[in-house]
């Protein structure tokens, strides 16, 4: 058996068992400098106590903790480059007995501060007393989307799925060694790439975690990039050319055009949830059709040219094959599609995170789809396995959430996965007994948006579900876009509906309705 796969399996099984005690006494933080595991290549690069911090600038106060940095499986890889799975583990003095794995982002390449703050409301996991681990998934990179590591086979495998599995086992071992017993419950929480990693955990490592949170997951990036490339080509061909002759998809719609589209969308769909508030909660009832905006005469600020209408409809419908079969889900019409701050909304032209080299001026959907299908390595990183019987069978709970204005990964693709997962997992219980999906109106990618309530606590929801049996029938959301306003996020297929009378800014006056 290769060295990298040799593990002290007896100890691993013990640490994976909730509440299992270890005979040895707890260790000190400095003791990690001599820490090792039989059969495992491991370098502890730093182990130091971190003093408690006070809340400031919107950041929560953190307790005193031991931070351990290290590298798992250090090696020399392709082109003589150094590789290894970097990680950071935070071990709070006042431990609550739990463990949380913090997901990554982009193409990873850096070790994030192990805080566990994603979708955790006002209090990150570390502040609550969780031991938290983070990882770079096996390589160093710059800019968040440095793909040069893909030339190394093992580095690619580590990024796709190997590293998170190994770090999960290592972190549990270290937690048990430090505190004298293993974690009572284990959780994974991530968004974007971290959302994909969360799904990988439920699919490839079904026994590792009791509760998993997957936000705006990068389920199949080859096809989501195809969709963005397609939108760019469709918008670009209908838009006026710039002086250089290049396509300018971001110039298809003027400021007044975009304002018209969003206002018309709100006029059509905003009140479907019982209240006009600038957010579309009853997405399923939204039947907005851009064709209603087509000019009957000359172009004005109150209508769109036929070419603009056709481009908008084609783009949001998503890329399809020559025979009309979808390669990727379409994107929903939502209040945040004209956002200009942060990651721009789709009406301003797509921003593809990883360039594919496709020719936007002569975009061939079927050819590009064939290239993606032939990329066996890229498909290996997809998180599309839908039979989660083992995960659900051991009592695992899985929460998804996705912004309805996400301009990178369509929430309808996540919905499609959720529906297929529900069908393929089967069993005696319906999917809602162990998994929920929350679609967040107006929210862009993982957070942000001009018409959203993007501040919510999925961590408490999953913990209470796992440890107290409290089903998360609704999760209250707030946000900077609407100060003083709160709404319940309802699990699909329900939506928040104003029941009145009462304060329309108070979540208590809304019900989850299908």
């Amino acid at each position: 058996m290769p060295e990298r796969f040799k593990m002290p399996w007896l100890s691993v099984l013990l640490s994976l068992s909730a509440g299992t005690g270890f005979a040895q006494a707890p260790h000190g933080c400095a003791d990690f400098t001599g820490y090792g595991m039989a059969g495992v290549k491991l370098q502890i690069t730093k182990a130091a106590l971190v003093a408690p911090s006070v809340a400031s600038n919107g950041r929560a106060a953190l307790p005193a903790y031991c931070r351990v940095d290290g590298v798992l499986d250090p090696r020399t890889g392709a082109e003589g480059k150094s590789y290894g799975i970097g990680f950071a583990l935070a071990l709070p003095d006042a431990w609550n007995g739990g463990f949380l794995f913090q997901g990554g982002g982009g193409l990873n390449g850096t070790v994030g501060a192990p805080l566990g703050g994603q979708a955790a409301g006002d209090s990150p996991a570390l502040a609550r007393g969780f031991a938290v681990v983070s990882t770079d998934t096996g390589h160093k990179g710059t800019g968040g989307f440095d793909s040069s590591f893909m030339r190394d086979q093992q580095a690619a495998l580590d990024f796709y799925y190997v590293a998170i599995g190994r770090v999960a086992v290592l972190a549990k071992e270290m937690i048990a060694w430090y505190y004298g017993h293993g974690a009572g419950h284990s959780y994974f929480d991530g968004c974007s790439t971290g959302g994909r990693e969360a799904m990988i955990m439920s699919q490839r490592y079904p026994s590792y975690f009791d509760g998993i949170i997957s936000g705006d997951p990068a389920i199949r990036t080859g096809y989501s990039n195809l969709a963005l490339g397609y939108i760019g080509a469709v918008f670009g061909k209908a838009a006026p050319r710039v002086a250089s002759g290049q396509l300018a998809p971001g110039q298809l719609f003027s400021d007044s055009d975009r304002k018209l589209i969003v206002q018309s969308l709100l006029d059509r769909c905003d009140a479907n949830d019982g209240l006009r508030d600038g957010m579309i909660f009853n997405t399923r009832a939204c039947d907005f059709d851009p064709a209603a905006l087509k000019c009957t005469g000359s172009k004005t600020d109150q209508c769109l040219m036929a070419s603009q209408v056709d481009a908008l409809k084609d783009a949001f419908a998503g890329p399809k094959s020559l025979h009309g079969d979808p390669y990727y889900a379409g994107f929903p019409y939502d209040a945040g599609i004209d956002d200009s701050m942060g990651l721009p909304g789709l009406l301003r032209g797509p921003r593809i995170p990883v360039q594919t080299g496709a020719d936007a001026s002569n975009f061939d959907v079927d050819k590009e789809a064939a290239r993606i299908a032939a990329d066996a390595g890229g498909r290996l990183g997809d998180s599309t396995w839908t039979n989660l019987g083992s995960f659900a069978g051991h009592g695992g709970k899985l929460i998804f959430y996705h912004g309805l204005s996400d301009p990178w990964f369509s929430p309808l693709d996540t919905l499609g996965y959720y529906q297929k997962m529900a069908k393929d997992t089967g069993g005696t219980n319906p999917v809602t007994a162990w998994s929920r999906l929350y679609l967040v109106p107006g929210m862009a990618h993982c957070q942000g948006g001009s018409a959203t309530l993007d501040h919510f606590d999925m961590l408490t929801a999953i913990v209470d579900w796992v440890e107290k049996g409290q089903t998360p029938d609704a999760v209250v959301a707030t946000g900077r876009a609407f100060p003083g306003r709160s709404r319940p996020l309802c699990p699909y297929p329900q939506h928040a509906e104003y029941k009145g009378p009462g304060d329309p800014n108070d979540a208590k006056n809304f019900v989850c309705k299908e």
Side-chain angles (χ1 to χ4, degrees), residues 164-237:
I164 54 174
R166 289 180 58 74
V167 169
V169 170
L170 173 65
K172 291 186 179 189
E173 281 282 327
M174 295 175 72
I175 289 169
W177 183 84
Y178 184 67
Y179 291 114
H181 63 86
H185 292 94
S186 298
Y187 301 92
F188 192 104
D189 184 5
C191 195
S192 191
T193 290
R196 179 191 70 83
E197 292 167 349
M199 294 176 69
I200 291 295
M201 282 299 187
S202 70
Q203 296 167 17
R204 289 183 179 266
Y205 308 103
S207 66
Y208 282 24
F209 291 91
D210 303 298
I212 293 175
I213 304 169
S214 173
D216 294 51
I219 298 176
R220 44 190 188 131
T221 54
Y223 289 101
S224 58
N225 284 339
L226 165 65
L228 297 181
Y230 170 74
I231 292 173
V234 170
F235 278 7
K237 289 180 180 179

Side-chain angles (χ1 to χ4, degrees), residues 75 77-79 81-83 107-109 138-156 159 354:
R75 62 187 176 84
E79 303 172 350
K81 188 175 180 179
S82 295
Y83 287 97
L107 293 179
N108 290 332
H139 65 277
K140 301 298 181 187
T142 58
F145 293 98
D146 181 355
S147 62
S148 60
F149 70 92
M150 289 290 187
R151 293 192 289 269
D152 184 273
Q153 179 187 6
Q154 188 60 58
F159 169 74
V354 179

Side-chain angles (χ1 to χ4, degrees), residues 199 219 284 329 384-388 398 400 411-426 430-432 434-437 439 492-494 514:
M199 294 176 69
I219 298 176
R284 300 177 72 203
T384 54
W385 186 266
T386 51
N387 180 356
L388 304 189
L398 174 59
F400 292 92
L412 301 183
D413 197 48
T414 299
L415 172 59
Y417 172 85
Y418 183 80
Q419 292 173 323
K420 190 172 189 303
M421 178 192 76
K423 178 181 178 182
D424 292 353
T425 297
V431 67
T432 53
W434 58 275
S435 183
R436 297 291 172 99
L437 165 64
L439 299 174
Y492 181 87
Q494 297 179 331
E514 185 171 344

Side-chain angles (χ1 to χ4, degrees), residues 4-17 22 35 37-38 40 42 72 85 87 89 99 101 133 135 161-177 182-183 186 188 201 204-205 207-209:
R4 64 182 286 108
F5 295 108
K6 289 181 180 179
M7 301 294 292
W9 290 111
L10 177 59
S11 183
V12 171
L13 291 174
L14 287 172
S15 68
L16 291 174
S17 300
F22 275 57
Y35 180 83
M37 294 172 60
V40 175
L42 177 64
L72 179 62
I85 304 171
F87 67 90
L89 176 63
F99 164 54
F101 196 131
V133 75
T135 178
Y161 68 92
V162 172
I164 54 174
R166 289 180 58 74
V167 169
V169 170
L170 173 65
K172 291 186 179 189
E173 281 282 327
M174 295 175 72
I175 289 169
W177 183 84
S186 298
F188 192 104
M201 282 299 187
R204 289 183 179 266
Y205 308 103
S207 66
Y208 282 24
F209 291 91

Side-chain angles (χ1 to χ4, degrees), residues 370-388:
R371 182 192 65 79
I372 294 167
D375 181 8
R379 301 290 61 72
L380 189 63
D382 291 348
S383 53
T384 54
W385 186 266
T386 51
N387 180 356
L388 304 189

